[in-house]
Amino acid sequence: MDAINKFATYLQDLPRKKFQQYLLLSIGGIALATGLFIYIIHQKKASLIQYTINLGKLSEKSATIIGQNRKMMLEEQHIRDIIEKNKGFSMASFFEQFCREQNIAPEAGWEPHIEPVNDRFDEVILPATFKNQTTKNLIAILSALAQKDIVTIKELRIRTQPDRKITFDLTLASKKLKIPVD
């Protein structure tokens, strides 16, 4: 308490101009410190808001990735189930049988080949060309292929011929496990 009394006495003994200078310096210093404090708080708030927005975006991306992963795992399990159900499946045998059933003859050179898909599956690809066909034949072939779970149509190109017939290039695909089913 004694220090406060001494300080008060010191201020009272100061000349008026000197007191005003000290008062202005004190008010300026307090205003500067307050402004700096508010600026720092504002910058920190803006930084935290941006960080929260980024976390929200990352959370949405994570949820999307998790959803896609679940979908891919279900699709992979579906493919594994189809492969398990059709053990011993051969694309060449399937294609020959299918052509006999549909009463169609492909052009020569329709040998299947394998292309890697990922670390678990390969894809067996079989390109074939059919000439002198009708659109009715094509629709019947596509409908019959749609009934087969193990085979998918990878590509279809249709060309017209002058005699109202068509030629189409059909590429079939089937998945194959790189490692045997457990």
Side-chain angles (χ1 to χ4, degrees):
M1 193 71 160
D2 195 32
I4 295 175
N5 286 337
K6 284 183 184 179
F7 184 69
T9 305
Y10 173 75
L11 288 177
Q12 287 176 350
D13 291 342
L14 278 176
R16 185 172 179 90
K17 277 204 176 247
K18 201 66 147 164
F19 176 74
Q20 287 176 347
Q21 285 177 348
Y22 285 157
L23 183 62
L24 286 175
L25 282 174
S26 298
I27 292 172
I30 291 170
L32 182 64
T34 304
L36 186 61
F37 184 67
I38 289 171
Y39 175 77
I40 290 171
I41 289 174
H42 176 71
Q43 287 299 102
K44 189 68 172 174
K45 179 187 85 166
S47 172
L48 289 174
I49 288 172
Q50 188 59 45
Y51 181 73
T52 304
I53 289 169
N54 289 342
L55 279 177
K57 288 178 183 178
L58 289 174
S59 174
E60 289 173 9
K61 283 182 182 179
S62 295
T64 302
I65 289 170
I66 289 170
Q68 289 172 343
N69 185 47
R70 283 188 187 131
K71 183 179 175 184
M72 286 176 22
M73 289 180 76
L74 288 172
E75 187 175 316
E76 181 179 323
Q77 187 57 47
H78 177 69
I79 292 170
R80 285 181 184 271
D81 292 343
I82 290 172
I83 292 171
E84 179 67 27
K85 190 172 88 177
N86 295 286
K87 279 188 175 179
F89 174 79
S90 163
M91 180 65 94
S93 299
F94 167 81
F95 187 68
E96 288 171 352
Q97 177 66 30
F98 183 78
C99 287
R100 280 193 299 274
E101 289 172 1
Q102 296 299 315
N103 197 25
I104 54 175
E107 295 295 309
W110 55 265
E111 291 298 315
H113 63 278
I114 296 175
E115 292 182 5
V117 174
N118 57 33
D119 59 340
R120 293 179 287 265
F121 294 104
D122 285 332
E123 193 169 49
V124 181
I125 308 282
L126 189 143
T129 300
F130 298 91
K131 291 184 177 178
N132 297 320
Q133 300 294 318
T134 64
T135 54
K136 185 177 179 180
N137 289 356
L138 176 61
I139 292 170
I141 291 167
L142 295 177
S143 295
L145 285 171
Q147 306 291 322
K148 309 293 183 187
D149 285 343
I150 190 83
V151 176
T152 59
I153 299 170
K154 187 167 180 89
E155 185 178 350
L156 174 64
R157 288 186 303 156
I158 304 169
R159 297 181 306 275
T160 59
Q161 294 176 319
D163 58 353
R164 297 187 56 159
K165 299 275 184 168
I166 60 171
T167 296
F168 60 91
D169 300 318
L170 179 67
T171 304
L172 301 177
S174 179
K175 298 285 192 272
K176 175 184 172 188
L177 284 173
K178 286 188 179 182
I179 53 174
V181 177
D182 299 329

